Amino acid sequence: VYGVLSTQSDTQYVRLYSTYNPEGFDPTVHSLDKQIQGATVTLSGGGGTWRYRDTLIARLDRSRYTSDILAYVLVPFKPTPGTVYSLDVRLPDGRLARGVTSVPGRGYISVVTLHVLDQPQSFPEDLYVVASVAPRTRGFLLRFFIEFELTVNGVRELRRVEVPLRIRRSVDGGVRERIYPKLQRRTSFDSDRNHGSEYVGFQHEAYFNTLSEIAIQYAQSNPVLKNAIFVLTQVDANFYNYYNIVNGFQDEITIRTDQPDVSSIQGGVGMFGSMTVDTASISYRR
């Protein structure tokens, strides 16, 4: 069972599969996707109950599986931040699988060093942003975008580019790597009842370099800065634990030889989690 409730969309999906034993322990030789049809999928919470309907999604990569993707969809529906939801999956043979998630509450974003945002050429400091994460949020991700306007074929067009968290340079001074924010565990464990403050610093060079690239790359299109946009994504414990296991331990020193499983599903395996997305926009011409 795989499903994530997101406040960023009014369309929610759940996908169901059965397990199998591949020949020779090589899963790549299995060419039949073990999708489960005919299940009854319902969501309940906040005083309401909703039923998913089955649908087909076009599969872009057909190198292994040739069939389309079977999914269960709930639309239109947006989860309410701070609400606990239960997912019930009743299989055609009567078996029941269940998952529970607590959708993170609303988060808040504030820029501490606004003077750097406005005049990076005058203040060579890092750009610090505070993300106020909600109770019971386990992990968070804060991203920074610059929104600007161009003239394309005589028409003004709005575009957006992401600012790296920092830049690593090579020995000769060139850009070796752009490091972007990753989902990370919250550090402010006040309690399950209070918001916690998380400080994120965007390197001054990364911000100033992005502004310079916009000015140089689109010089012929008359670029005009419009907004600095900060996007805060908060995830529940189910999402964060699953993400950490799937992506490996974010540790450049420890060597892990085991491959642990993680599941938040009773009566099955998989993940049912949730995420809340909040946005703050600051105009460059305020």
Side-chain angles (χ1 to χ4, degrees):
V1 180
Y2 298 94
V4 175
L5 296 179
S6 172
T7 64
Q8 197 174 24
S9 173
D10 66 351
T11 305
Q12 314 299 326
Y13 292 97
V14 168
R15 293 170 65 179
L16 307 176
Y17 296 87
S18 60
T19 57
Y20 62 91
N21 293 320
E23 297 180 6
F25 302 102
D26 181 6
T28 61
V29 304
H30 192 87
S31 58
L32 181 62
D33 202 3
K34 301 285 285 185
Q35 304 180 103
I36 296 178
Q37 299 181 1
T40 301
V41 182
T42 56
L43 182 74
S44 59
T49 300
W50 303 266
R51 181 169 175 174
Y52 288 70
R53 60 176 176 81
D54 56 353
T55 188
L56 286 177
I57 302 172
R59 189 189 299 273
L60 301 181
D61 181 2
R62 296 178 181 266
S63 58
R64 180 177 176 187
Y65 300 127
T66 58
S67 61
D68 286 329
I69 299 172
L70 171 67
Y72 295 83
V73 62
L74 177 59
V75 60
F77 179 83
K78 276 191 177 183
T80 302
T83 303
V84 176
Y85 291 96
S86 298
L87 181 76
D88 287 347
V89 177
R90 179 72 65 178
L91 301 182
D93 62 8
R95 287 180 297 166
L96 177 67
R98 172 172 293 174
V100 178
T101 181
S102 179
V103 181
R106 287 293 182 194
Y108 304 95
I109 306 164
S110 59
V111 179
V112 179
T113 51
L114 269 174
H115 57 284
V116 178
L117 183 67
D118 293 332
Q119 302 179 49
Q121 69 280 2
S122 302
F123 299 97
E125 310 165 29
D126 290 345
L127 180 64
Y128 282 96
V129 184
V130 177
S132 179
V133 298
R136 294 188 298 276
T137 292
R138 180 61 57 86
F140 75 97
L141 168 67
L142 182 66
R143 302 173 71 187
F144 174 23
F145 298 87
I146 296 175
E147 196 173 62
F148 57 99
E149 200 174 58
L150 300 174
T151 300
V152 180
N153 297 324
V155 179
R156 297 300 285 176
E157 181 178 300
L158 200 61
R159 295 193 183 181
R160 178 186 291 190
V161 64
E162 183 172 5
V163 178
L165 192 64
R166 63 183 183 276
I167 290 177
R168 288 180 182 171
R169 293 198 172 274
S170 56
V171 178
D172 60 4
V175 175
R176 181 166 68 104
E177 185 179 9
R178 290 176 171 83
I179 310 298
Y180 291 91
K182 294 181 180 180
L183 184 67
Q184 58 182 304
R185 188 184 182 103
R186 67 178 293 176
T187 59
S188 53
F189 290 100
D190 320 48
S191 70
D192 282 343
R193 290 172 256 179
N194 301 320
H195 277 71
S197 296
E198 301 289 344
Y199 289 82
V200 179
F202 289 88
Q203 182 189 52
H204 177 272
E205 182 184 9
Y207 175 43
F208 192 75
N209 189 73
T210 304
L211 290 173
S212 300
E213 289 179 344
I214 292 174
I216 295 172
Q217 182 177 352
Y218 301 103
Q220 303 301 318
S221 301
N222 188 27
V224 175
L225 298 181
K226 302 295 290 185
N227 302 294
I229 299 175
F230 298 89
V231 180
L232 172 63
T233 301
Q234 301 175 86
V235 303
D236 74 328
N238 297 343
F239 189 117
Y240 181 80
N241 293 339
Y242 187 83
Y243 173 89
N244 258 357
I245 295 299
V246 169
N247 289 277
F249 295 88
Q250 299 177 27
D251 185 345
E252 297 179 355
I253 299 176
T254 304
I255 298 176
R256 297 296 297 257
T257 57
D258 58 331
Q259 294 182 336
D261 290 328
V262 61
S263 176
S264 58
I265 303 297
Q266 298 177 2
V269 295
M271 191 272 287
F272 176 57
S274 56
M275 56 190 287
T276 297
V277 182
D278 294 287
T279 302
S281 179
I282 301 176
S283 173
Y284 278 105
R285 297 194 170 193
R286 62 186 183 280

